[in-house]
Amino acid sequence: MTELTANLELNNIMSREAPKERSSSFRTPLRIGILIAVLLSLGAYFTADFAIQNAKEELLAELQAREEITAAGKNEVMTTWIDSTGRKASQIASHPLFRLFADEVNRSDSAELPRPLANQLPYMQNAISSFVEQNNVVAAYVIGRNGRAYLASTGSPSLTDEQRDLAVRHYSQTEIAAVNARESGKDLLIDFLVPILEAQSAAGANPAVVGIMVMTVSAREKIEELLRPSALSMEGEETWLFQRDGDRFFMADSKSETYFSKQPASGMTADFTRFALRDISTTNGPLYSVGVQLGNTNWVITQGIHEKEALEPLERYSVGIWIVAVSTVLVILSILAAIWLTLRSQNNKAMAEQYKELAHKINAQRRLLGSINNTIDDLIGLTDTAGRYVYANPSLARFVNFPVQSIAGKTDRDLFGEKAARAMGDLNQVVLDTEQTQNTIMEVETDNGTRILRIEKSRLMDDEGLFMGIVTVAGDITDFIEHQRMKERLGQKTISVLVRMLEANDPYLANHSHRMSVLANNVARVMDLPTETRQAIATGANLSQIGKISIPSEIRTKDGRLTDEEMDIMRGHVASAESILAEMEVDAPIVEAVAQMYERKDGTGYPKQLEGEEIAMSARILGMADILIARISPRSYRQEVSVEEAMEVFRSNPHRYDQDVVAALDDFLQSPEGEDFRNSLEQDKNPS
């Protein structure tokens, strides 16, 4: 510690006035001293224990959030894999010849296939076997309504009664389902039930299910990939897979004769979704864990961290707290002892000497407290009125790669570089102007790369209220921020996959979201909207059509105009989009933009008939971009229009469309970039 900080702390503790003489009737100082020592010790004990318990609760809350996020992320990865794997079978199940064959078999009443169908059987057998081989699938079958497998891939094992029953019951559904997650020796298998729809159906009627394709897929490699620790895993943090059988849970164990252990894990109970300390018999000691069930399978993914590693930061914190408590008691007792000694003295000179001795003791105790401060991970520094450092703890010295002794006298520019120094200087000025503590998050370049700091700055005042300097406390949150960014990237990838899948299955939506994004982003740029609004527009454009996943394909891709009933169904995609985005925890401004983009200023839009300023600016821009891109694209029931014709509709209907947005659209489309955009639209409509 420097002389400045030592003197400051001493002045805060010592009184500026000499104590009054004590009465000669004070005959029991020893007893009073013992009583005070006992009370101080009890107070320090309960205060320290309270602080430690609060720190433990905060630590466990952070761990719970981390483990729940990680478990949910891994469950989302597996769910996405299951969904994408299940759609593989649609490649063959939706083939017209395959559907026609299944339709004819379904119509046949005889136990034996008619000769024409029997003649086609080898070709269909070869097709399903080729599908299994090309897609690395374990087996595939086609089951009739009577539970009979009239097609099976070459080398497929015999169907179980359970598989047949599940297939027969699935005839009432038209969606792909993943069921019957089971263990097979050292492998893990999932059965996918894929409905085969009739080749032709009556006008306006939904196609009937004429066959069920059962596809059996190995999930072992994907599960083992999931269980491997990631680069962001903490020490002692692990992922486990359990197979649930009623209230019993069997852990995945590569050393077992089968994939799952034969003995149930004693610590796993039906409340596995609750974050708690569990002593699972097959793990090394108790651990804090939380679990999620993988879709409609009988598998449970559990994410946890061993108790020892989880509470290691708390142990270090507890040691520091107890040292502070003991030091505080010693300091107070030292002060009281010094006061008692001075009150016993009638000689001013002796009293002054006692105060001097007391000052040395207090400084020693303060140095002890300073050494405790030096052990914490946060970066702590004190700069004087000229902006030069007078104190830095070892954590700060290690961060900037300077010896502690050499930091005194240096500035932020010397320690952090020009860019960070300017930002810190601006923050210092805000602290001085507002006289309030300020917080910010800042990126700093170091020898170990870019680090992200959470910085708090506040003024340091003396007893007279005079400004002495600025205290800086910073924490390195790089690892936490990187974890959050990884989660966001995972969410964006999931969104991208959903959008591409939708556009790939709807000829009217091909490249629609991309064009919307380009147009809406440029309009937002022309209007110079705030960054948050522009981000909502950019992301909202890519998500604008996501709700149409829930709309039947025969309505989305219908050649003619939709009926009133079909239009009501189509408009339901807005509510579906809002629900999907809410479940994905997408930011509220983005959900608002997507949910309101079909509203109009005069209240004629849907789904809530909002008017005027009730509609967010981001939604107005997306809505007009969506209309323009859609109108310039041809449909079977109408001709496409030019960009200028679409713009004229906007200009001539000011009661429906925001004219500020219309003006921004005109500005962009008349710019060189807008000309390039219009040319690209024409090329897409008239490919060479």
Side-chain angles (χ1 to χ4, degrees):
M1 296 179 64
T2 66
E3 192 65 25
L4 171 62
T5 54
N7 290 338
L8 174 68
E9 292 167 341
L10 178 60
N11 290 335
N12 286 339
I13 294 297
M14 295 187 62
S15 171
R16 295 182 179 274
E17 299 180 357
K20 298 180 180 180
E21 283 189 50
R22 298 298 303 270
S23 171
S24 59
S25 61
F26 181 43
R27 298 187 179 95
T28 57
L30 181 60
R31 293 180 181 177
I32 294 178
I34 293 174
L35 178 60
I36 292 175
V38 170
L39 292 176
L40 284 175
S41 299
L42 289 174
Y45 171 80
F46 287 112
T47 301
D49 183 69
F50 178 78
I52 292 172
Q53 292 303 318
N54 278 347
K56 183 177 181 180
E57 291 177 3
E58 292 176 1
L59 176 62
L60 291 180
E62 292 176 0
L63 287 173
Q64 179 177 355
R66 175 187 177 89
E67 301 308 312
E68 287 178 347
I69 290 172
T70 304
K74 293 191 174 185
N75 181 61
E76 185 176 351
V77 169
M78 283 302 300
T79 302
T80 301
W81 176 80
I82 288 175
D83 291 342
S84 62
T85 302
R87 293 188 181 94
K88 287 182 180 180
S90 65
Q91 300 172 7
I92 187 170
S94 60
H95 193 279
L97 292 179
F98 202 85
R99 292 172 61 183
L100 184 60
F101 178 81
D103 197 351
E104 293 297 328
V105 172
N106 184 66
R107 297 173 185 275
S108 177
D109 296 329
S110 62
E112 297 294 331
L113 292 178
R115 179 174 295 276
L117 293 180
N119 291 336
Q120 295 179 33
L121 192 59
Y123 169 79
M124 304 307 295
Q125 179 74 27
N126 182 60
I128 196 171
S129 297
S130 297
F131 167 79
V132 168
E133 181 179 357
Q134 293 171 5
N135 290 276
N136 196 24
V137 175
V138 174
Y141 317 81
V142 178
I143 311 299
R145 290 186 180 276
N146 57 2
R148 175 190 173 193
Y150 56 86
L151 274 181
S153 59
T154 304
S156 298
S158 299
L159 279 170
T160 65
D161 292 339
E162 182 182 3
Q163 288 176 297
R164 296 178 188 274
D165 292 342
L166 288 171
V168 171
R169 289 200 297 269
H170 203 68
Y171 264 82
S172 61
Q173 303 181 37
T174 59
E175 299 293 332
I176 299 174
V179 298
N180 199 24
R182 67 186 190 278
E183 180 183 12
S184 177
K186 298 291 285 186
D187 202 355
L188 294 174
L189 302 178
I190 298 181
D191 288 334
F192 290 86
L193 303 180
V194 184
I196 302 172
L197 305 180
E198 63 181 343
Q200 297 179 347
S201 58
N206 293 325
V209 177
V210 296
I212 297 296
M213 181 175 178
V214 179
M215 180 179 67
T216 303
V217 177
S218 171
R220 174 169 181 167
E221 290 184 3
K222 191 66 179 180
I223 289 294
E224 291 180 346
E225 175 187 339
L226 186 76
L227 299 184
R228 285 196 293 270
S230 69
L232 295 178
S233 296
M234 297 172 57
E235 184 176 355
E237 190 175 20
E238 296 184 44
T239 306
W240 298 273
L241 176 68
F242 294 88
Q243 182 168 261
R244 185 174 185 180
D245 182 9
D247 290 333
R248 299 187 303 168
F249 297 81
F250 298 87
M251 177 183 286
D253 182 5
S254 60
K255 297 179 181 179
S256 175
E257 294 179 2
T258 57
Y259 195 88
F260 288 97
S261 160
K262 294 184 178 180
Q263 296 298 324
S266 61
M268 284 291 291
T269 57
D271 66 339
F272 60 87
T273 57
R274 180 175 60 88
F275 181 81
L277 182 65
R278 296 180 174 86
D279 190 6
I280 301 175
S281 60
T282 53
T283 62
N284 299 322
L287 53 91
Y288 289 96
S289 68
V290 64
V292 292
Q293 185 160 337
L294 179 56
N296 59 355
T297 71
N298 55 354
W299 295 340
V300 173
I301 298 174
T302 297
Q303 183 71 23
I305 182 171
H306 291 283
E307 182 182 26
K308 179 180 178 181
E309 287 78 4
L311 299 182
E312 185 175 348
L314 182 65
E315 293 178 2
R316 294 195 298 269
Y317 178 83
S318 300
V319 171
I321 286 294
W322 286 118
I323 293 176
V324 171
V326 172
S327 300
T328 302
V329 172
L330 291 177
V331 169
I332 296 176
L333 289 178
S334 298
I335 294 173
L336 293 177
I339 293 174
W340 179 74
L341 290 174
T342 56
L343 291 176
R344 297 277 295 173
S345 174
Q346 299 297 321
N347 189 306
N348 290 337
K349 182 178 179 181
M351 181 180 294
E353 290 296 324
Q354 290 173 3
Y355 268 106
K356 183 177 180 180
E357 181 181 357
L358 177 60
H360 286 302
K361 291 181 179 179
I362 291 176
N363 284 335
Q365 298 296 335
R366 288 302 179 188
R367 283 191 292 272
L368 175 60
L369 293 177
S371 67
I372 297 171
N373 176 62
N374 293 339
T375 63
I376 65 177
D377 294 333
D378 283 347
L379 320 179
I380 300 177
L382 173 63
T383 53
D384 60 17
T385 54
R388 299 187 179 277
Y389 279 86
V390 296
Y391 171 74
N393 70 342
S395 294
L396 176 57
R398 287 192 299 270
F399 184 84
V400 298
N401 199 21
F402 274 88
V404 174
Q405 299 82 357
S406 67
I407 291 182
K410 286 184 168 50
T411 64
D412 287 329
R413 183 174 287 100
D414 300 325
L415 301 182
F416 299 101
E418 181 67 29
K419 181 179 179 181
R422 287 199 301 270
M424 289 189 178
D426 294 341
L427 189 61
N428 289 341
Q429 191 60 48
V430 174
V431 172
L432 296 176
D433 293 341
T434 63
E435 300 183 357
Q436 300 291 327
T437 298
Q438 299 295 323
N439 297 274
T440 190
I441 293 177
M442 182 183 303
E443 290 189 356
V444 176
E445 297 296 333
T446 70
D447 294 341
N448 296 322
T450 302
R451 307 300 295 176
I452 303 174
L453 299 181
R454 173 188 47 77
I455 298 177
E456 178 180 289
K457 286 181 174 286
S458 58
R459 297 186 308 157
L460 181 64
M461 314 297 291
D462 66 7
D463 290 341
E464 302 298 330
L466 298 177
F467 173 70
M468 298 184 65
I470 291 180
V471 177
T472 301
V473 180
D476 190 340
I477 59 173
T478 306
D479 293 341
F480 174 78
I481 294 297
E482 288 298 328
H483 177 71
Q484 292 299 109
R485 289 174 178 173
M486 182 192 72
K487 178 186 173 184
E488 291 173 2
R489 287 194 297 271
L490 180 61
Q492 290 296 328
K493 289 181 180 178
T494 302
I495 290 170
S496 178
V497 170
L498 290 175
V499 171
R500 288 201 301 270
M501 289 176 58
L502 176 63
E503 293 189 350
N505 287 277
D506 191 336
Y508 295 142
L509 291 181
N511 212 23
H512 184 91
S513 299
H514 172 71
R515 293 171 179 170
M516 270 189 65
S517 177
V518 173
L519 184 58
N521 288 339
N522 278 284
V523 170
R525 176 182 56 78
V526 171
M527 297 182 72
D528 195 22
L529 297 179
T531 301
E532 292 183 357
T533 304
R534 294 171 71 170
Q535 290 175 345
I537 289 172
T539 305
N542 289 324
L543 296 174
S544 61
Q545 311 301 317
I546 196 170
K548 293 182 180 178
I549 292 176
S550 64
I551 305 303
S553 60
E554 61 269 16
I555 294 180
R556 283 190 289 108
T557 60
K558 183 177 178 180
D559 290 337
R561 289 186 177 275
L562 299 180
T563 64
D564 291 343
E565 181 181 358
E566 290 171 335
M567 183 61 71
D568 289 339
I569 296 174
M570 175 62 79
R571 288 176 175 174
H573 76 90
V574 178
S576 297
E578 190 170 5
S579 175
I580 291 171
L581 297 181
E583 290 182 5
M584 295 173 66
E585 299 182 359
V586 173
D587 292 342
I590 299 173
V591 178
E592 181 183 55
V594 175
Q596 295 182 4
M597 61 180 285
Y598 296 95
E599 304 286 358
R600 299 293 176 257
K601 279 182 59 179
D602 59 358
T604 59
Y606 67 91
K608 297 181 180 180
Q609 290 77 51
L610 301 180
E611 298 181 8
E613 296 301 320
E614 293 178 338
I615 308 171
M617 176 58 71
S618 56
R620 299 179 219 170
I621 294 174
L622 288 179
M624 293 173 67
D626 178 65
I627 292 173
L628 191 145
I629 298 300
R631 291 299 301 273
I632 65 174
S633 301
R635 295 291 189 272
S636 61
Y637 53 87
R638 65 167 169 79
Q639 292 290 331
E640 74 272 17
V641 300
S642 66
V643 173
E644 182 58 33
E645 288 174 323
M647 288 299 302
E648 185 57 33
V649 172
F650 294 150
R651 299 188 197 103
S652 59
N653 290 276
H655 59 287
R656 298 195 70 196
Y657 304 108
D658 190 323
Q659 294 305 295
D660 291 338
V661 179
V662 175
L665 274 167
D666 271 328
D667 288 347
F668 166 64
L669 293 173
Q670 293 171 11
S671 67
E673 295 86 352
E675 288 293 334
D676 292 340
F677 179 71
R678 295 172 70 162
N679 291 337
S680 68
L681 295 180
E682 293 299 326
Q683 291 175 2
D684 288 343
K685 289 195 298 180
N686 303 295
S688 57

